[in-house]
Amino acid sequence: MKLKMHHRTTSGLLATLAAFGAGMWLASRPGFSASAPAKPEANTNRCRLILPQEIYAVVGQEANLYFDNVVLVPNWRNFLFDVTCSKGMQQEERWTFVPQAEDIGAHSLTLDVYDAEGQRIASGKTTVRVVPADAGQGREVRLLCIGDSLTNASIYPAELLNLCKDAGNPRLTLLGTRQPYPDNPECRHEGYGGWTYQRFVTHYAPPSDAGDRLKQGSPFMFLADGKPRYDFARYVREHCDGKNPDIVTIALGCNDIFNATEEEIETRIETVLGYADTMIAGIRAAGADIRIGLVLLVPPAASQDAFGASYKCGQTRWQYRRNQHRMVERMMEKYGGREKERLFLIPAYVNLDAARNYPSAEVPANARSTVKIVRLNNGVHPAPAGYRQMADSIYAWMKWLLASGG
């Protein structure tokens, strides 16, 4: 079978032709087969391509689809990518698009993946939804961000505030008991390093003035009849002036599945999703109109160097990448297509540059070398630019939500 050819010039066919060697060894390697309930058949999606149903974009704001983030392969450069879309451009590692006013509307995008022999091994479709730069202008929006260390870093919540300060945006109020910046009290959230879905809905500790949330327990847990209880409605009464948030985003999952092995990842995710259901149900019980956005778990840094720096020999980048990819698959299976319930998926995982927007340092190649090279040095925590790409994804989704009345 030959590679398909297009009579167009705007979406070049091959992202790269380099390094054909390693190819498809993962499809049959012992110990690396995922026995997922709904995993596509190997002959129709051999690289486990996962595209979101929709990619949200705002006029004047960059939107991206990074190829390495949507396939599960050890080296994306061993494969050939072909984007079919009337908008944006295909570059070596991504499709990228900065929409203009004339682009407002819906645009189909197809991504085909080929092996080095020119055999198509996967094909996926998504819809790029472009909204005006002034979508939601003047609307009062109350947003609560829940998450782990990626939220605790406070960069993407702060960037959401910055984005909404420009003309044509909603008037954004962030909610939460955590205020990390004394000079920016508007930046609030419920994000804590190391936390999981389970901890947010089960961990209770008596209130303390110590200010240490790990000792205080979950902000959503309260005593009721002498027993700890997850009560989101009470959280709203006591910490949000009794007024529900319009939107809740949940960016959790990294700690839940970080150290899972190949043998236990399915049961681990099943347990995690049970706690996610509990969290979602509690929010929904507090208000049927609350929009809930689940931030699909972003990929780790693109190099094993980052995992060596962060975890020594405690975890490999490839195993965590497999865990993260499977978590995204399962979340799509379980929570996709539930917009009528005001439950949405935010595809932040496609928009993050895992090769350049994670922390790095220039270091000697080895102890005897005078040559310095750049190595990534943090496995799962982006650099500020990466966090801001997460903010871009949430912002675009929020603007689409306000424009569409979702």
Side-chain angles (χ1 to χ4, degrees), residues 42-60:
N43 63 346
T44 60
N45 191 358
R46 288 158 53 195
C47 60
R48 285 172 62 181
L49 171 66
I50 47 170
L51 292 183
Q53 182 177 339
E54 296 173 318
I55 294 175
Y56 307 102
V58 179
V59 169

Side-chain angles (χ1 to χ4, degrees), residues 322-398:
R322 290 183 60 80
N323 295 349
Q324 173 264 335
H325 194 89
R326 187 60 186 138
M327 183 74 173
V328 172
E329 287 176 331
R330 292 291 302 277
M331 290 187 74
M332 285 184 170
E333 293 165 10
K334 186 175 181 65
Y335 300 118
R338 293 174 61 176
E339 292 82 4
K340 290 184 178 179
E341 303 172 41
R342 304 198 172 183
L343 180 64
F344 304 86
L345 298 176
I346 303 175
Y349 76 101
V350 306
N351 193 50
L352 178 58
D353 187 340
R356 301 176 185 90
N357 287 354
Y358 272 77
S360 63
E362 187 177 57
V363 296
N366 56 70
R368 294 292 188 178
S369 177
T370 59
V371 175
K372 289 192 174 183
I373 60 175
V374 175
R375 292 188 188 272
L376 295 173
N377 61 11
N378 195 305
V380 299
H381 302 96
Y387 283 121
R388 293 185 180 110
Q389 285 184 311
M390 289 182 64
D392 291 341
S393 296
I394 297 170
Y395 172 75
W397 168 75
M398 184 173 67

Side-chain angles (χ1 to χ4, degrees), residues 211-228:
D212 185 345
R213 178 59 70 184
L214 290 174
K215 295 178 180 177
Q216 291 184 32
S218 168
F220 309 129
M221 294 292 295
F222 302 89
L223 280 185
D225 298 324
K227 295 181 180 179

Side-chain angles (χ1 to χ4, degrees), residues 90-131:
Q90 178 174 338
Q91 296 178 329
E92 181 180 17
E93 78 284 9
R94 65 175 181 167
W95 168 86
T96 187
F97 180 33
V98 181
Q100 304 303 308
E102 59 268 25
D103 300 318
I104 294 169
H107 310 281
S108 63
L109 183 151
T110 300
L111 176 62
D112 293 310
V113 186
Y114 297 84
D115 65 16
E117 287 71 46
Q119 296 293 318
R120 186 168 65 178
I121 62 173
S123 182
K125 296 180 183 294
T126 185
T127 299
V128 182
R129 298 201 178 275
V130 180
V131 298

